[in-house]
Amino acid sequence: MNRDDDGTDGANAAGNHRIGVIISDEPRINDEIRVSQVRLIGPNGEQVGVIATSVALNLAKEANLDLVEVAPNAKPPVAKLIDYGKFKYNEKIKQREARRNQSTAEIKEIRFRLKIDEHDFEVKKGHVERFLNGGDKVKVTIMLRGREQSRPIGGVELLQRLADEVAESGTIESAPKQEGRNIIMTLAPKGKKVHTQSEQRRRGAESRAERQARQAARLAAKQEAKAQEAKEAQAVVAEATETSATK
């Protein structure tokens, strides 16, 4: 048996490294399924039972569907009749929608001094509100200096005041706590961040619904007018017929 210089069996080394082998996450479909039998599931989820793979492939062809192996490790493997192309397309759409609606919240940080004047407090509070309204969390830090570390209650009170004044935009996610020379509080935005494209789609749907409602109303009005005209015409004809009969 040939061995490498380091004493490793060359065949084993090649087997361990699997050089050039590409492992796919895609399921096996149709002729890629090499087992003799499968437990078949119909296109509507019905349990067909264990049948020969060749028979399952014929059923797939007759139904213009694909035979897809959905549980390869089962004994026998489980396969399902589906339109695989349509399935993959729908999966891509779902993944794209999930990415669009995924929250992209960040954590912003605002630093305060314990002895902050009113003007600076209002300015920084405005920044906090802007971040929260944009869907981001805010880490608020009070930096203590010198003797301030021995009376952190003032920092806690300042953070609580800030939380109270921005309550319409966010809530306390992490209560004020002292970490070394700092007192830290985390605020989280109220509700989820609305994706711009999702908002545009919502507005577009509302606009289409309004247009359809207006069109339906106009159509109903036209139909009612035509019905009224027909009714009046019938009345005229009836009156004329009655007049003619009395003469």
Side-chain angles (χ1 to χ4, degrees):
M1 180 181 295
N2 294 331
R3 303 178 69 86
D4 294 335
D5 293 339
D6 61 357
T8 302
D9 182 1
N12 290 340
N16 291 336
H17 287 94
R18 305 280 294 175
I19 298 174
V21 175
I22 299 176
I23 300 175
S24 173
D25 292 332
E26 295 294 324
R28 291 186 294 185
I29 66 172
N30 300 327
D31 294 334
E32 296 174 357
I33 303 175
R34 301 296 186 182
V35 294
S36 60
Q37 289 184 322
V38 293
R39 185 176 299 278
L40 184 64
I41 301 175
N44 298 317
E46 63 273 20
Q47 298 288 335
V48 178
V50 178
I51 63 174
T53 303
S54 58
V55 175
L57 285 169
N58 287 333
L59 291 175
K61 290 178 181 178
E62 290 175 2
N64 198 25
L65 296 172
D66 298 296
L67 184 66
V68 181
E69 193 178 51
V70 294
N73 296 326
K75 294 185 182 297
V78 180
K80 187 174 182 180
L81 296 175
I82 61 174
D83 184 337
Y84 191 62
K86 184 177 180 181
F87 169 78
K88 291 294 293 181
Y89 175 77
N90 289 336
E91 284 296 303
K92 288 181 180 179
I93 294 297
K94 290 178 182 179
Q95 292 172 4
R96 189 179 302 129
E97 289 298 322
R99 288 194 296 268
R100 284 178 178 174
N101 296 325
Q102 184 178 7
S103 174
T104 57
E106 299 178 3
I107 297 182
K108 307 292 187 179
E109 185 171 10
I110 294 289
R111 293 177 178 270
F112 284 72
R113 290 292 185 185
L114 185 59
K115 296 179 180 179
I116 187 171
D117 61 44
E118 191 64 22
H119 173 73
D120 287 344
F121 178 86
E122 291 297 324
V123 170
K124 293 192 179 241
K125 183 183 77 173
H127 294 326
V128 171
E129 287 177 324
R130 178 164 55 84
F131 292 145
L132 291 172
N133 291 333
D136 298 316
K137 295 182 181 181
V138 183
K139 177 182 177 182
V140 187
T141 302
I142 301 290
M143 299 176 292
L144 303 176
R145 294 182 296 181
R147 296 180 180 178
E148 293 175 349
Q149 299 177 53
S150 61
R151 46 186 181 87
I153 188 64
V156 174
E157 291 174 347
L158 181 62
L159 290 177
Q160 188 60 55
R161 175 193 169 189
L162 175 66
D164 292 341
E165 294 191 13
V166 300
E168 292 185 0
S169 301
T171 57
I172 296 177
E173 182 180 74
S174 177
K177 62 179 179 180
Q178 186 169 2
E179 294 183 0
R181 296 183 178 182
N182 300 326
I183 302 176
I184 297 172
M185 174 183 70
T186 303
L187 298 171
K190 284 188 174 180
K192 293 183 178 180
K193 188 174 183 178
V194 179
H195 195 281
T196 303
Q197 293 183 359
S198 297
E199 181 67 12
Q200 290 174 346
R201 289 196 299 273
R202 183 186 67 79
R203 292 177 180 175
E206 291 179 352
S207 178
R208 286 193 298 272
E210 290 177 0
R211 288 198 302 270
Q212 291 172 355
R214 288 195 297 267
Q215 290 173 354
R218 286 196 296 267
L219 180 59
K222 288 180 179 179
Q223 291 175 342
E224 184 177 355
K226 288 181 179 180
Q228 184 63 31
E229 289 176 0
K231 186 176 180 180
E232 292 175 355
Q234 289 175 355
V236 170
V237 171
E239 183 179 354
T241 301
E242 184 179 353
T243 302
S244 177
T246 57
K247 288 183 179 180

